[in-house]
């Protein structure tokens, strides 16, 4: 690999504001130097706040709305005729 063309890859804490959950992972995404959090292991890591994660997304939590696709197809066929 060429030196000095790749972003820094290190530990970052992602904090879901909607669910109140945080997780530690490695990422190239960096937050500002002033936004840091002390983690469970006692070390201090940069923190990135996210609006939605798998814990708060409606698809993963089961709160997603199911569309009535059969009704839409029937309405289309009534309007334009079945082929």
């Amino acid at each position: 690999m060429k030196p000095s063309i790749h972003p820094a890859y290190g530990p970052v804490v992602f904090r879901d504001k909607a669910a109140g959950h945080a997780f530690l992972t490695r990422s190239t995404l960096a937050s500002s130097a002033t936004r840091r959090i002390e983690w469970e292991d006692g070390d201090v890591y940069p923190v990135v706040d996210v609006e939605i994660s798998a814990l708060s997304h409606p698809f993963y939590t089961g709160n997603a709305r199911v569309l009535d696709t059969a009704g839409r197809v029937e309405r289309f066929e009534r309007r334009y005729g079945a082929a």
Side-chain angles (χ1 to χ4, degrees):
M1 292 191 322
K2 289 185 177 180
S4 72
I5 64 166
H6 300 285
Y9 182 71
V12 176
V13 173
F14 286 93
R15 184 170 46 189
D16 182 358
K17 298 299 256 182
H21 178 73
F23 56 93
L24 177 66
T25 186
R26 295 178 56 89
S27 176
T28 58
L29 188 63
S31 67
S32 63
T34 60
R35 306 214 42 212
R36 301 181 79 70
I37 189 172
E38 184 174 345
W39 193 243
E40 300 161 352
D41 60 3
D43 290 336
V44 178
Y45 298 105
V47 63
V48 175
D49 291 324
V50 294
E51 298 283 332
I52 282 184
S53 72
L55 289 174
S56 61
H57 194 279
F59 178 78
Y60 296 111
T61 60
N63 295 332
R65 296 184 317 170
V66 177
L67 296 176
D68 181 21
T69 56
R72 289 183 174 192
V73 171
E74 291 167 358
R75 189 173 68 220
F76 178 83
E77 287 178 352
R78 273 196 322 263
R79 187 177 295 163
Y80 300 108

